[in-house]
Amino acid sequence: MRFSFIFLTLTLLFASPKINAVTPSDADGGIRGKVFDKSNRQALEYATVMVYNQSDSAFVSGSISGKDGSFDIKLKPGKYYVTVQFIAYKPITIGNVSIEKGAKPKDLGQLFVAPDTELLEEVEVVAERTTVEMSLDKRVVNIGKDLTAKATNAIEVLENIPSVTVDVEGNVSLRGDDGVRILIDGKVSGLAGLSNRDALRAIQSDMIERVEIVTNPSVRYDAEGTSGIINIILKKDRRNGFNGSIDLTTGYPWQAGLGINANYRLKKVNYFANYNYNYRENTGSGSNYRKVFATDLITDQTNERLRKNNSNTFRLGAEYSINPNNTLTISTMYRASNQNSTSTILYNDYFSSPLNLIGQSSRVEEQSGRQPNLQYGIDYRKQFAKKDQLLTASIQYFTNVEDATSNITERLLTPLPQNQPLLQKTINDQNESNLQAQVDYFHPFSSRTKLETGLKLQMRDITNDYQVLGEDSTGQMVINTDFTNLFHYEESILAGYAQFGNESGRFSYLLGLRAELSDISTELRETNEKNRSSYPDFFPSAHLNYKLTEQDQLQVSYSRRIRRPGYWQLNPFRTFSDNRNIWSGNPNLKPVYTHSMEGGYLHFWKNANINLNAYYRHSTDVFQRIERVNDQGISISRPENFASNDSYGLELIGMATLNKKLNINGNINLFRSITEGEAFDIQYKTDNYSWTSRLAGKYTVIKGFDTQLAFNYMGKMKTPQGNRLPSWFLDLGMAKDLLKNKATLTLNVRDVFNSRGHAFETFGQNFYSKSDFRWGSTTVTLNFNYRINQQKKRGNDKQLQRQPEGDEGMMDF
């Protein structure tokens, strides 16, 4: 009965325009009314209303209720009976409905249907497992409750997503290119702050609903991000009544977490709230070997780190339905994060050979800091009477603060032990404010032809006050002017776009142009050094899609992208934790411009699909860090615009359900990257072939008990000055449903063989160096997730269906 009802509902959904196509001359009257949920008196959208002849029970006409539960059906004069059905509800019948010639439509009034408790028990849990939706221009990973999703934070979630690679430090790349734009709910978020790595670690996995990967974005997206966009969508449930979940996490090395997600929908208002507490300890170790050819000086250093993070994140919001076509959402988020770390470096200096030790010293830094973040947002959505005609607007404001101090103790160990160590101190005071305002309009000329337009303003202001103090001969702490600076950064970007899409037979296309006016200025107040860049840019995009069959699709696309130098890349701040390896920014950096072209093929089978993409990117004014070493063995690195780059790639993504118990998914990305340029009168040319891959398999041992293995590999990659050495790791997970599927217990073992790390070789004009680093050991995490009023779902309840964040009305492929 259930399946026949679903079939009839879908038939009405797609055929109702024809069913109701009764001309005024044929119909002198009809029926109207509204359908409500008897349990909570709320209107039911998509209820099925069917009309039958009273004499022979022949089906006459039907309709689907609207957002306010209303329906209106035109009928010829006659005698009928009416049935109202809604999945998981008991149907009702209204008999003896007479339509007289010339009479006005008969109002059946408010019709109440009650939930069918027996049928509810038959409705299976849906959307509890992680799934991947694939199209030619975007991949959407819906984060479920299974072991794939039971990472502790967004960094670990991204490790499980096709096309994305994450190194041991948490740096994210898309198809091997780190010029990726990371958005949260379609916007630059306060959580992102000044560092994507810190932002992603602050977002706990149970806050994430889905992740969208856009490798060649259209003009509706910001032009920022040469390799594409990763958009993380946070949870906002829309079910009636109260529902939520609780997550408890513990693990080794020591970590503890608590996550609470709650939603309460009452008539026109949907309240949502999240709280997350996270404590985590990490230990890391590494080494750095360097030889300076001119002086035969060899330095061999070892590093040990202990980092402790403690954070609390609160998120509150309400979605108010002003009426069925207008919605207002207000939200706020606050994150309080504290970090304490200890870094110990041991330097061994040799002359000519490791057998000739000439000096040994140690450097210990103890750092503590806090990073409060506060964010406000207002979103408005207006749906017009015409299908897919939509207006959205949003304003977001956030502030970030980073206060950190460190105490450094340096001791000379050989040749003569130093009784009195050298004491130093750093003070970092950083503040950011960010305002974003955006409006988008989607206008359909027909069901196949659409226009999209929008405006966006983003304004950022960042101030960084950094001081280094050291002991003088009298033991007093005085400022070291070589490292102290007060840096001010201002950015404003005004953007507008227009995009036209059309479908004709098997062809569809999307053509657009985005204009952005950028104004970026920096000021180094210690030296009164100012830099300002103000420039307009135009970024076209084109997507052409051809549907060979329902199972086979082709697409070609083009876009022009930009990668503006970030705040840290412009800030001449120089790191002081390791005074033998100094990193700084470059306030004279120019943006990178990229032309991106892509061709894709997508094929669906009943239980599998593959996505094959070939891509090419040409970039100018590419910036990378160039390392130089002086005769004393001090390394100084800073980014420079020095080259052009051509990248070619072939990526294959596939997933298959082999049987009821086993499914696999994986991707492999093969690419060639040619970089050619000049820096500091040295010519660089690199022709690099490399690849990345991921393969994961999930096996259901018994119903409710899953196991999973995931293997990740990043191949050796040449850089302008050397090599990034290959890296691989294996993750294991197990998940068991408990308490009648209301809870899930998940065990994760990350980096089973403790093989994950990164290592680099650098070949300079007068030096050679090799460095490596890895965080800690194999990590074991145990998570318990308990769901409240989420174990059962009403399959046809519109309020359960996901509402895209900013994607409404778009021309999709």
Side-chain angles (χ1 to χ4, degrees):
M1 179 269 182
R2 178 179 56 183
F3 297 106
S4 61
F5 171 65
I6 294 173
F7 175 77
L8 181 57
T9 300
L10 291 176
T11 302
L12 285 172
L13 204 58
F14 291 102
S16 55
K18 296 180 181 179
I19 292 172
N20 293 321
V22 180
T23 63
S25 60
D26 294 328
D28 297 306
I31 58 172
R32 63 179 56 153
K34 291 187 177 182
V35 183
F36 291 87
D37 184 331
K38 189 175 182 179
S39 63
N40 57 23
R41 304 284 172 170
Q42 291 193 21
L44 283 179
E45 185 182 4
Y46 290 97
T48 305
V49 183
M50 293 168 285
V51 182
Y52 300 88
N53 266 326
Q54 200 172 67
S55 59
D56 57 5
S57 296
F59 176 70
V60 177
S61 186
S63 183
I64 304 295
S65 63
K67 289 185 178 181
D68 60 351
S70 64
F71 63 89
D72 191 343
I73 302 174
K74 299 297 183 184
L75 294 170
K76 294 179 180 180
K79 293 184 178 181
Y80 308 96
Y81 68 89
V82 180
T83 66
V84 179
Q85 299 186 49
F86 194 80
I87 193 169
Y89 283 67
K90 294 179 180 179
I92 62 171
T93 300
I94 301 95
N96 299 319
V97 178
S98 297
I99 304 297
E100 303 294 336
K101 186 174 182 180
K104 294 182 179 180
K106 181 170 289 187
D107 191 349
L108 301 182
Q110 296 181 347
L111 305 177
F112 293 94
V113 290
D116 188 334
T117 55
E118 292 184 2
L119 189 57
L120 277 172
E121 290 302 319
E122 297 180 18
V123 181
E124 298 294 333
V125 177
V126 293
E128 285 299 317
R129 302 298 182 195
T130 295
T131 59
V132 181
E133 300 172 12
M134 297 175 62
S135 64
L136 283 166
D137 61 340
K138 181 167 67 176
R139 287 180 288 280
V140 180
V141 182
N142 299 296
I143 306 301
K145 298 294 183 186
D146 61 0
L147 62 169
T148 306
K150 282 297 107 183
T152 58
N153 55 50
I155 285 279
E156 296 176 359
V157 170
L158 292 179
E159 290 173 0
N160 292 312
I161 291 180
S163 306
V164 179
T165 53
V166 183
D167 70 16
V168 68
E169 291 283 9
N171 298 303
V172 179
S173 300
L174 193 56
R175 289 178 172 171
D177 187 338
D178 62 356
V180 59
R181 178 74 149 181
I182 297 179
L183 305 176
I184 299 172
D185 285 337
K187 309 176 187 69
V188 177
S189 172
L191 279 177
L194 304 173
S195 166
N196 279 329
R197 291 175 298 175
D198 293 339
L200 297 173
R201 289 191 180 102
I203 301 173
Q204 299 307 295
S205 61
D206 58 291
M207 296 172 62
I208 300 173
E209 177 182 320
R210 68 186 188 274
V211 179
E212 299 175 345
I213 307 297
V214 189
T215 53
N216 205 17
S218 69
V219 297
R220 74 168 66 99
Y221 297 97
D222 290 347
E224 181 72 33
T226 52
S227 63
I229 290 171
I230 297 175
N231 186 20
I232 297 173
I233 305 298
L234 303 183
K235 289 179 179 176
K236 289 182 287 291
D237 212 318
R238 292 175 170 85
R239 271 170 281 206
N240 283 331
F242 176 80
N243 65 85
S245 65
I246 299 174
D247 279 85
L248 296 171
T249 304
T250 187
Y252 173 84
W254 172 238
Q255 56 185 290
L258 169 65
I260 301 174
N261 296 288
N263 270 83
Y264 181 64
R265 187 177 187 92
L266 180 64
K267 296 183 179 180
K268 291 186 175 184
V269 184
N270 179 44
Y271 303 95
F272 55 89
N274 307 96
Y275 168 72
N276 278 276
Y277 168 77
N278 183 53
Y279 176 81
R280 191 167 188 174
E281 293 184 2
N282 294 90
T283 58
S285 61
S287 65
N288 191 351
Y289 170 88
R290 181 184 298 118
K291 181 173 183 179
V292 182
F293 302 135
T295 59
D296 270 349
L297 176 66
I298 297 174
T299 299
D300 192 357
Q301 70 182 68
T302 58
N303 312 307
E304 300 287 341
R305 297 187 204 173
L306 171 62
R307 185 169 62 191
K308 300 178 181 180
N309 289 287
N310 188 43
S311 66
N312 290 271
T313 304
F314 303 85
R315 179 168 166 260
L316 299 170
E319 182 184 66
Y320 175 61
S321 297
I322 303 170
N323 56 46
N325 295 323
N326 292 270
T327 304
L328 185 68
T329 303
I330 301 175
S331 62
T332 184
M333 180 161 47
Y334 176 73
R335 175 170 61 96
S337 176
N338 296 287
Q339 178 175 303
N340 294 279
S341 63
T342 301
S343 174
T344 302
I345 304 175
L346 179 65
Y347 302 97
N348 293 292
D349 297 315
Y350 306 93
F351 177 73
S352 183
S353 165
L355 300 177
N356 188 12
L357 181 67
I358 58 175
Q360 187 180 64
S361 59
S362 68
R363 186 178 178 87
V364 179
E365 179 183 21
E366 295 181 327
Q367 185 184 62
S368 62
R370 66 183 190 95
Q371 296 173 312
N373 160 241
L374 184 60
Q375 178 173 309
Y376 307 94
I378 300 176
D379 293 85
Y380 171 72
R381 180 180 185 273
K382 178 177 178 58
Q383 178 70 58
F384 295 87
K386 192 173 184 179
K387 185 178 183 296
D388 291 335
Q389 186 180 6
L390 179 70
L391 176 71
T392 63
S394 67
I395 298 176
Q396 180 176 269
Y397 176 77
F398 64 80
T399 60
N400 276 307
V401 175
E402 182 177 335
D403 293 328
T405 59
S406 64
N407 295 297
I408 301 170
T409 304
E410 187 167 347
R411 295 178 183 272
L412 180 64
L413 304 178
T414 61
L416 295 174
Q418 190 176 12
N419 293 326
Q420 187 64 33
L422 174 64
L423 301 179
Q424 297 169 318
K425 185 174 184 177
T426 68
I427 302 172
N428 183 45
D429 185 8
Q430 189 165 270
N431 293 272
E432 176 189 15
S433 62
N434 188 308
L435 174 66
Q436 298 175 62
Q438 182 171 344
V439 60
D440 298 277
Y441 174 68
F442 307 94
H443 184 84
F445 296 103
S446 69
S447 61
R448 296 177 175 270
T449 306
K450 299 181 183 180
L451 176 69
E452 306 173 22
T453 60
L455 294 171
K456 181 178 180 180
L457 172 66
Q458 177 171 312
M459 302 176 68
R460 297 174 70 198
D461 188 286
I462 306 174
T463 301
N464 176 251
D465 188 357
Y466 185 77
Q467 292 184 338
V468 174
L469 300 92
E471 277 189 316
D472 63 8
S473 57
T474 65
Q476 298 294 316
M477 300 295 287
V478 296
I479 293 177
N480 184 335
T481 56
D482 290 338
F483 289 90
T484 295
N485 71 73
L486 179 60
F487 184 68
H488 185 219
Y489 172 91
E490 286 185 311
E491 170 192 282
S492 64
I493 300 173
L494 177 63
Y497 77 91
Q499 183 165 240
F500 179 79
N502 186 48
E503 294 182 23
S504 178
R506 295 182 179 272
F507 283 96
S508 61
Y509 63 86
L510 198 59
L511 304 175
L513 179 66
R514 186 180 186 92
E516 294 189 351
L517 176 62
S518 306
D519 193 317
I520 299 172
S521 63
T522 63
E523 180 183 1
L524 186 59
R525 292 178 177 173
E526 293 292 322
T527 60
N528 201 30
E529 179 183 347
K530 297 180 180 180
N531 289 279
R532 183 177 180 182
S533 300
S534 183
Y535 45 88
D537 280 312
F538 296 93
F539 302 96
S541 74
H543 292 72
L544 175 64
N545 189 81
Y546 180 70
K547 185 182 293 186
L548 298 170
T549 67
E550 289 299 321
Q551 291 78 35
D552 297 87
Q553 297 182 45
L554 295 173
Q555 186 190 60
V556 293
S557 61
Y558 163 80
S559 67
R560 184 174 186 254
R561 311 289 298 164
I562 188 173
R563 183 184 183 183
R564 299 179 182 87
Y567 163 75
W568 281 116
Q569 292 159 329
L570 293 171
N571 188 352
F573 155 80
R574 292 182 287 181
T575 59
F576 201 66
S577 298
D578 181 355
N579 60 4
R580 304 283 187 95
N581 297 277
I582 298 171
W583 289 38
S584 70
N586 180 359
N588 297 309
L589 280 182
K590 297 181 291 184
V592 180
Y593 290 95
T594 297
H595 296 277
S596 177
M597 285 160 275
E598 189 169 320
Y601 169 72
L602 182 61
H603 180 82
F604 295 95
W605 289 278
K606 182 179 180 180
N607 296 316
N609 58 62
I610 61 168
N611 186 197
L612 179 64
N613 292 281
Y615 58 91
Y616 167 70
R617 293 192 296 260
H618 174 72
S619 302
T620 57
D621 286 326
V622 172
F623 53 77
Q624 291 187 13
R625 286 193 173 273
I626 300 296
E627 181 181 1
R628 293 182 293 163
V629 176
N630 61 26
D631 291 345
Q632 289 74 44
I634 306 300
S635 167
I636 300 174
S637 300
R638 79 169 196 172
E640 305 287 345
N641 291 107
F642 77 102
S644 63
N645 175 267
D646 291 281
S647 295
Y648 311 81
L650 187 65
E651 182 181 47
L652 176 65
I653 302 172
M655 52 200 68
T657 300
L658 302 182
N659 54 52
K660 291 182 178 180
K661 292 191 173 184
L662 178 63
N663 64 67
I664 59 173
N665 68 82
N667 70 283
I668 182 169
N669 178 38
L670 309 171
F671 59 93
R672 180 188 184 190
S673 179
I674 303 172
T675 304
E676 188 171 4
E678 178 183 343
F680 303 109
D681 298 324
I682 301 175
Q683 295 290 330
Y684 295 98
K685 183 173 182 179
T686 303
D687 192 351
N688 170 65
Y689 293 84
S690 189
W691 62 293
T692 63
S693 65
R694 178 181 182 272
L695 180 64
K698 188 176 71 174
Y699 180 75
T700 301
V701 181
I702 58 174
K703 185 177 181 181
F705 179 35
D706 297 327
T707 62
Q708 177 175 289
L709 281 174
F711 175 78
N712 290 267
Y713 180 82
M714 290 186 288
K716 180 179 179 180
M717 186 172 178
K718 292 182 180 179
T719 67
Q721 287 190 291
N723 299 299
R724 187 199 70 191
L725 302 182
S727 173
W728 65 274
F729 60 95
L730 180 72
D731 294 339
L732 167 67
M734 290 180 285
K736 179 71 172 72
D737 290 335
L738 305 170
L739 304 177
K740 297 181 180 181
N741 293 331
K742 292 182 179 180
T744 302
L745 185 66
T746 307
L747 176 69
N748 260 316
V749 183
R750 309 186 73 83
D751 194 9
V752 174
F753 298 103
N754 192 24
S755 59
R756 188 178 187 185
H758 63 192
F760 295 89
E761 285 184 309
T762 304
F763 302 89
Q765 192 174 29
N766 66 327
F767 72 96
Y768 166 78
S769 69
K770 182 177 180 180
S771 61
D772 66 83
F773 185 80
R774 71 178 66 246
W775 275 110
S777 59
T778 300
T779 302
V780 181
T781 305
L782 185 66
N783 175 274
F784 177 76
N785 170 262
Y786 182 77
R787 300 176 287 278
I788 305 169
N789 292 336
Q790 290 187 356
Q791 74 276 19
K792 301 295 181 184
K793 295 189 179 184
R794 299 169 186 167
N796 199 35
D797 191 339
K798 179 66 175 177
Q799 290 172 343
L800 303 190
Q801 298 179 13
R802 189 187 74 211
Q803 296 184 19
E805 302 296 328
D807 287 357
E808 307 93 329
M810 290 184 185
M811 176 72 75
D812 285 330
F813 296 105

